[in-house]
Amino acid sequence: MTRIILLAPPLSGKGTQAQLLKERCGFVPISTGDLLRRASTSLDEEGRQLAKILASGELVSDDIVIRLLSARLEEIGMEKILLDGFPRNLHQVELLDELLQSKNASIDVVFFLDVPKEILLSRIEGRRVCACCGKIYQVTKDEQRCTCGGELITRSDDNVSSFEARYQQYLEITMPLVSYYSSCGKLVRIDGCQEKEEVYQDILKALKERCEQ
Ligand code: AMP
């Protein structure tokens, strides 16, 4: 049983790695961003508020995020889970620890995908997401369809001003988690500037070293 976290700046490719780890290793990814995007389509007041926060690049309140995460964990169980985009601040680390302890579980490895800001910025323009299955693409020309047939769309927060807000949040609020998980001996730094297959192979190698002893 392995439980991992992908910790990374926006546009670092963590969603792509989550997808590969799902397809090839059987991990069950939980993206709090995806859970929130789904909740934001609801027509009630909470849905409307969420849509505004997501488009601005600000963080959603911890109680909403933990509520959606707990509900999702109830549905899928605790085996081989991969957390993508959670925790994002030190309070969420505590909330996660409490939640896992109540289920006699813990996190095994935290992968930190390290990518400098200039490279992240260069990825904004070409990023598309499948409206149907959520698969992420970097497009160079107008590719309109995902392999599943779904339409490729630009996320509401994939623009420079929203990226700047998300990156600032990441530096101030999320980066301290790198030191925290490093001090627990759980952090593995991965060079996220490589091709996606090389990033994946580095993650796989570290997973084997850490979890199959
Ligand atoms: P992501 O898909 O991980 O890039 O997240 C997209 C957006 O969802 C973020 O910019 C936040 O507004 C929100 N979000 C995702 N995960 C969290 C979280 N753990 N805590 C607060 N807000 C989150």
Side-chain angles (χ1 to χ4, degrees):
M1 206 177 306
T2 313
R3 296 179 201 94
I4 64 178
I5 293 174
L6 293 185
L7 186 61
L11 287 133
S12 58
K14 65 183 162 50
T16 301
Q17 294 302 320
Q19 183 78 26
L20 291 174
L21 286 157
K22 174 184 172 186
E23 288 166 6
R24 301 184 191 176
C25 296
F27 275 96
V28 183
I30 308 177
S31 153
T32 44
D34 283 349
L35 293 177
L36 289 163
R37 275 185 286 280
R38 206 162 307 139
S40 76
T41 61
S42 146
L43 297 175
D44 57 15
E45 185 49 29
E46 184 171 290
R48 277 192 290 274
Q49 289 300 328
L50 281 176
K52 272 194 211 157
I53 299 173
L54 293 182
S56 74
E58 296 296 315
L59 289 184
V60 173
S61 71
D62 294 345
D63 54 331
I64 294 184
V65 180
I66 197 82
R67 170 159 52 79
L68 293 173
L69 177 72
S70 310
R72 185 72 185 126
L73 285 172
E74 284 299 317
E75 285 167 11
I76 62 174
M78 298 299 295
E79 274 190 43
K80 255 195 149 174
I81 55 168
L82 178 168
L83 295 176
D84 163 0
F86 185 93
R88 251 183 164 93
N89 60 39
L90 287 167
H91 183 231
Q92 290 184 2
V93 170
E94 282 172 31
L95 294 173
L96 177 64
D97 281 348
E98 281 168 23
L99 186 66
L100 292 177
Q101 265 169 28
S102 72
K103 296 174 187 293
N104 272 330
S106 59
I107 292 295
D108 299 296
V109 195
V110 178
F111 290 102
F112 167 46
L113 300 192
D114 199 2
V115 186
K117 188 179 178 189
E118 318 78 80
I119 296 191
L120 301 170
L121 269 168
S122 73
R123 294 178 179 171
I124 293 180
E125 205 180 322
R127 183 150 89 155
R128 299 286 184 282
V129 182
C130 173
C132 204
C133 70
K135 193 167 173 184
I136 299 153
Y137 289 83
Q138 268 294 325
V139 300
T140 45
K141 52 183 173 5
D142 266 347
E143 293 157 45
Q144 305 256 304
R145 295 275 153 199
C146 172
T147 47
C148 80
E151 188 189 356
L152 297 187
I153 55 166
T154 302
R155 260 170 53 169
S156 67
D157 54 356
D158 276 342
N159 56 69
V160 175
S161 87
S162 180
F163 169 82
E164 289 291 351
R166 289 156 73 204
Y167 191 74
Q168 206 49 41
Q169 301 269 8
Y170 164 77
L171 286 185
E172 287 169 17
I173 298 173
T174 309
M175 270 302 270
L177 274 58
V178 172
S179 327
Y180 171 78
Y181 282 118
S182 178
S183 69
C184 307
K186 294 192 175 178
L187 194 91
V188 174
R189 182 194 164 278
I190 301 282
D191 175 4
C193 301
Q194 309 173 90
E195 289 299 316
K196 70 175 178 187
E197 188 60 36
E198 291 169 323
V199 174
Y200 173 75
Q201 289 303 332
D202 282 0
I203 292 177
L204 198 61
K205 185 163 166 263
L207 257 182
K208 285 188 178 149
E209 284 168 7
R210 296 247 167 172
C211 302
E212 289 178 7
Q213 292 157 358

